Amino acid sequence: MDVIIRSALGLDRDEHETFLADVIAGLSDNPKRLGAKYFYDAAGSLLFEEITGLPEYYPTRTEMGILRRDGARLMGELAPGTALVEFGSGSTAKVRVLLDAAPSLAAYVPVDISAEFLGAEATRLQDDYPHLKVLPVAADFTSLFELPPQVRGRPLVGFFPGSTIGNFEPHEADAFLRRAARILGPASRFIVGVDLVKDERVLNAAYNDAAGVTARFNLNVLDRINRELGADFDLDAFAHRAFYNAARSRIEMHLQSLARQKVHVVRRAIAFRAGETIHTENSYKYTIDSFQALARGSGWSPFKVWTDGLFSVHALVNQAVDDGRQMADDR
Ligand code: AVJ
């Protein structure tokens, strides 16, 4: 399976250098921070898969339930030749539910930063759906990437499941939705999975599972920094902390230093106070209204929402209409 590399930053982007620079910048900041996207190396991706099966972690299970129950209605009446574009396609479990519900889809474009993973998953998917054109794109879906030429002119429907949008700051979520509207173009649709504000006990339990998998997932980023950047984090000297910040409608994950200590990343010494934390993730929660308001302000009109009370799946339509004025702009 050929994977099309289309990063806005070009082909020569050195992931390792970027990782190192981000880690040094984040650990030199006050408060210290690391980007949530760095959780997902091979070990972290496996740990996340394990999280999705935990009894306390409801989002994956409930979203799958909604997709199974309402998949066909969610996809609506698809124009012939419609292509589905998935933003960040870690696992293909969810999109398979949509593909089964909408057999008339002509093409599937998974967009993911991990070219290797993308190639393997896309090949399996192509084998299972021989009549579907599978056109993987290796790109950072948070940047302005280009769609493969084969889907140009086709009706497009975007798919962004898993409440990954919750990892963005609200202003970043706004920028992402605007960019997606530009990428997908006039008259496109967008299906977005969004976790809901709810009882704090349910939220806190989902990020503090009894089996300690979320703790291992969080701590794995330090292990990754040790392995890939030659740092000397002592994983026993940090503890997983996760809590709901109601004022900001978000779960925060941190790694808390259990002692005053120094850690080295390459030749840099990073000092930690006892109790000091590295902020590793935000997972924003929305109400149906707060998400629809965000979408409306970012180029999308909400036209339908499906929910089970815990999670929501929104169907949006691009506010830009494919009219003459739009076409004149393109010329
Ligand atoms: C993949 C970002 C949706 O925020 O629930 C799970 C990641 N972090 N447990 C989430 C995560 C801790 C997850 N998202």
Side-chain angles (χ1 to χ4, degrees), residues 40 48 51 57 59 162-164 167 207 214 217 253 281 283 285:
Y40 303 93
F48 180 68
I51 287 174
Y57 193 76
S163 205
T164 306
N167 271 170
Y207 295 84
T214 308
F217 173 73
M253 291 218 310
E281 184 175 40
S283 185
K285 309 303 172 187

Side-chain angles (χ1 to χ4, degrees), residues 268-289:
R268 280 199 199 232
I270 315 262
F272 285 87
R273 290 175 269 111
E276 185 176 1
T277 76
I278 310 171
H279 191 174
T280 51
E281 184 175 40
N282 285 321
S283 185
Y284 280 87
K285 309 303 172 187
Y286 291 87
T287 62
I288 286 173
D289 285 350

Side-chain angles (χ1 to χ4, degrees), residues 206-244:
Y207 295 84
N208 289 282
D209 60 289
V213 183
T214 308
R216 277 159 55 211
F217 173 73
N218 198 5
L219 283 158
N220 174 64
V221 73
L222 300 185
D223 199 32
R224 177 179 185 186
I225 292 169
N226 284 349
R227 279 184 280 105
E228 295 185 24
L229 304 177
D232 60 358
F233 277 102
D234 173 5
L235 270 61
D236 293 329
F238 287 85
H240 165 71
R241 302 280 180 245
F243 55 87
Y244 186 60

Side-chain angles (χ1 to χ4, degrees), residues 9 13-26 33-45 113 140 167 217-225 227-229 279-281:
L9 294 167
R13 170 172 171 192
D14 190 334
E15 304 277 342
H16 183 266
E17 286 302 308
T18 307
F19 183 30
L20 177 62
D22 281 356
V23 167
I24 300 275
R33 55 177 172 81
L34 289 169
K37 67 177 174 186
Y38 292 122
F39 283 137
Y40 303 93
D41 64 347
S45 298
I113 193 132
D140 180 352
N167 271 170
F217 173 73
N218 198 5
L219 283 158
N220 174 64
V221 73
L222 300 185
D223 199 32
R224 177 179 185 186
I225 292 169
R227 279 184 280 105
E228 295 185 24
L229 304 177
H279 191 174
T280 51
E281 184 175 40

